[in-house]
């Protein structure tokens, strides 16, 4: 299941990144008025993914802070993406928001290595490289895009209905909090904040890493055994 869901950020993130490179001027010039029925299908597929993943989490996942936050993220994404579907406006604004899926490629890859327990065994080098790439990609594809969308909304506040402006501000506020919490969680889990923040201080944002400790102990024991023999 995790690998199946990994395909969405790979496909959508790659497509949107190439689209951005090929249509950079259009992306900056017309986030609100540009519309294409064919290109709207990317938004529809994204809505379908978020709905499917939300239903899957509601049925199969245990209820905790992280799953609730992720479910809230998916529901919010469906709501705000539906504005482009209903109004035939803000298509490229939605594309900007979906560009965050480029960062999700590394985020999901990191999660797959964690869930398969390869992050502390045979692929520890690969996991470390992906961890750095994940952090590097997180900054431009989440925080910079979020900042651009907020600045764009304020710049065009008099060119849109007040309802849309409020919606984009609410959406941006929600996703800034979600992305900020996720970024802290990643930094803490990968050891970048261990010296400053404890799991107790992070509370629900802390990633469950007990299996990592067990795996590291097992790996160390195997290494010592092989050396002694």
């Amino acid at each position: 299941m995790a690998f199946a869901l990994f395909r969405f950020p790979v496909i959508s993130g790659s497509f949107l990144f190439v689209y951005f490179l090929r249509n950079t001027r259009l992306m900056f010039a017309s986030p609100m008025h540009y519309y294409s029925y064919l290109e709207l299908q990317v938004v529809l597929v994204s809505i379908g993914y978020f709905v499917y993943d939300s239903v899957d989490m509601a049925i199969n996942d245990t209820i905790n802070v992280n799953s609730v936050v992720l479910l809230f993220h998916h529901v919010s994404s469906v709501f705000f993406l539906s504005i482009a579907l209903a109004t035939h406006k803000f298509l490229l604004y939605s594309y900007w928001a979906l560009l965050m899926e480029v960062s999700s490629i590394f985020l999901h890859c990191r999660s797959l290595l964690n869930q398969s327990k390869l992050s502390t065994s045979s692929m520890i080098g690969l996991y470390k490289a992906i961890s750095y790439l994940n952090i590097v990609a997180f900054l431009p594809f989440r925080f910079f895009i979020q900042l651009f969308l907020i600045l764009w909304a304020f710049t065009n506040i008099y060119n849109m209905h007040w309802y849309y402006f409020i919606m984009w501000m609410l959406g941006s506020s929600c996703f800034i909090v979600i992305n900020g919490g996720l970024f802290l969680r990643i930094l803490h889990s990968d050891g970048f904040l261990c010296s400053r923040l404890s799991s107790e201080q992070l509370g629900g944002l802390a990633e469950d890493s007990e299996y990592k400790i067990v795996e590291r102990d097992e790996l160390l024991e195997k290494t010592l055994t092989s050396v002694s023999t």
Side-chain angles (χ1 to χ4, degrees):
M1 178 62 68
F3 181 75
L5 296 177
F6 174 65
R7 289 180 293 184
F8 171 75
V10 171
I11 296 173
S12 62
S14 300
F15 170 81
L16 289 166
F17 185 64
V18 172
Y19 184 92
F20 172 79
L21 294 178
R22 291 175 58 89
N23 301 278
T24 305
R25 293 182 61 184
L26 181 63
M27 288 283 288
F28 280 101
S30 188
M32 178 166 53
H33 293 297
Y34 178 80
Y35 177 78
S36 166
Y37 176 77
L38 182 61
E39 292 167 16
L40 182 66
Q41 306 311 304
V42 177
V43 176
L44 288 173
V45 171
S46 301
I47 291 175
Y49 160 76
F50 289 126
V51 170
Y52 174 81
D53 198 31
S54 298
V55 173
D56 178 69
M57 284 192 298
I59 295 175
N60 298 314
D61 280 12
T62 56
I63 299 177
N64 53 48
V65 174
N66 295 323
S67 62
V68 170
V69 170
L70 187 57
L71 188 60
F72 175 73
H73 168 274
H74 285 7
V75 172
S76 300
S77 298
V78 170
F79 175 77
F80 291 113
L81 289 175
S82 297
I83 294 177
L85 178 63
T87 64
H88 291 185
K89 291 181 180 292
F90 302 103
L91 174 62
L92 295 187
Y93 189 95
S94 300
Y95 270 33
W96 273 105
L98 289 171
L99 264 174
M100 297 183 194
E101 292 301 322
V102 176
S103 169
S104 296
I105 295 174
F106 303 103
L107 183 63
H108 281 252
C109 189
R110 172 185 174 277
S111 298
L112 281 174
L113 289 174
N114 271 335
Q115 293 173 18
S116 61
K117 299 184 179 181
L118 294 174
S119 60
T120 55
S121 55
S122 59
M123 293 189 177
I124 189 170
L126 176 62
Y127 178 81
K128 185 174 294 187
I130 290 176
S131 296
Y132 282 107
L133 288 173
N134 182 41
I135 292 172
V136 170
F138 207 102
L139 297 175
F141 287 105
R142 288 185 184 262
F143 291 134
F144 172 78
I145 287 177
Q146 204 74 69
L147 177 62
F148 169 77
L149 293 177
I150 292 173
L151 292 176
W152 180 88
F154 272 105
T155 303
N156 293 273
I157 186 173
Y158 298 112
N159 298 325
M160 69 178 82
H161 196 278
W162 62 267
Y163 169 81
Y164 297 124
F165 177 77
I166 293 177
M167 287 297 99
W168 301 142
M169 289 300 100
L170 286 175
S172 296
S173 300
C174 291
F175 291 120
I176 284 176
V177 172
I178 292 173
N179 286 327
L182 178 60
F183 192 59
L184 281 176
R185 177 187 174 191
I186 291 170
L187 290 177
H188 179 267
S189 177
D190 290 342
F192 296 101
L193 289 180
C194 284
S195 59
R196 297 186 179 183
L197 290 175
S198 64
S199 298
E200 290 75 15
Q201 288 174 308
L202 280 177
L205 292 176
E207 190 170 41
D208 183 11
S209 57
E210 290 183 3
Y211 68 88
K212 291 185 177 181
I213 298 174
V214 174
E215 286 289 307
R216 287 193 182 108
D217 290 342
E218 291 178 355
L219 181 62
L220 181 60
E221 183 179 350
K222 290 179 182 178
T223 303
L224 292 175
T225 303
S226 62
V227 170
S228 61
T229 55

